[in-house]
Amino acid sequence: MAVKPINLQVSTESLNQGEQAICQEIAAQLYPQKIFTFGQARHLANLSVWEFQEFLGQKQISRHYDEEDLAQDIATIQSPKGSDSQPIWALSLIRKIGI
């Protein structure tokens, strides 16, 4: 498997703001290129699902959502760590629709 190079640009402003700003900027570049899934990008950005959706909107980045994203979201909701941060209704909905 050949390794494809990618170019990332980090603004001076993000560099001055610290690690989280840098990670958010990188996530904002990797997600639209489909290098990272939504879940991977939001974890890198250290944001909740809702915060990352808002972040993408502020950056005018369209959301893409595929089966892999769905599988990761389900795994997050079903994990002990994820269930603490996810609304209970989301887990109920997942169970109700049989995913």
Side-chain angles (χ1 to χ4, degrees), residues 9 13 15 18 25 32 41 43 46 50 69 71 78 84 87-88 97-98:
Q9 296 180 0
E13 181 181 338
L15 290 173
E25 193 163 332
H43 282 290
N46 196 28
W50 314 117
D69 290 320
Q78 292 177 340
D84 290 341
I88 293 172
I97 60 176

Side-chain angles (χ1 to χ4, degrees), residues 17-25 44-47:
Q17 290 178 358
E19 184 178 344
Q20 183 163 3
I22 294 167
C23 288
Q24 288 177 356
E25 193 163 332
L44 176 62
N46 196 28
L47 297 171

Side-chain angles (χ1 to χ4, degrees), residues 21-35:
I22 294 167
C23 288
Q24 288 177 356
E25 193 163 332
I26 292 170
Q29 293 176 52
L30 296 176
Y31 176 72
Q33 296 179 52
K34 297 185 179 182
I35 295 170

Side-chain angles (χ1 to χ4, degrees), residues 2-17:
V3 176
K4 292 173 59 176
I6 59 171
N7 293 314
L8 298 173
Q9 296 180 0
V10 179
S11 68
T12 305
E13 181 181 338
S14 290
L15 290 173
N16 292 334
Q17 290 178 358

Side-chain angles (χ1 to χ4, degrees), residues 3 5-6 21-22 42 45 49 51 61 63-64 67 73 80 82 87 99:
V3 176
I6 59 171
I22 294 167
R42 80 170 188 85
V49 170
E51 290 169 332
I61 298 171
R63 172 98 196 259
H64 56 85
E67 289 179 21
D73 286 345
I99 298 177

Side-chain angles (χ1 to χ4, degrees), residues 49-50 70 73-74 76-78 82-83 85-99:
V49 170
W50 314 117
L70 175 61
D73 286 345
I74 291 170
T76 299
I77 290 169
Q78 292 177 340
S83 63
S85 62
Q86 298 296 324
I88 293 172
W89 62 265
L91 185 55
S92 298
L93 179 61
I94 295 291
R95 289 185 178 140
K96 187 177 231 180
I97 60 176
I99 298 177

Side-chain angles (χ1 to χ4, degrees), residues 31 34-42 64 66 68-69 72:
Y31 176 72
K34 297 185 179 182
I35 295 170
F36 271 19
T37 64
F38 181 87
Q40 291 168 328
R42 80 170 188 85
H64 56 85
D66 58 20
E68 185 177 348
D69 290 320
Q72 285 190 346

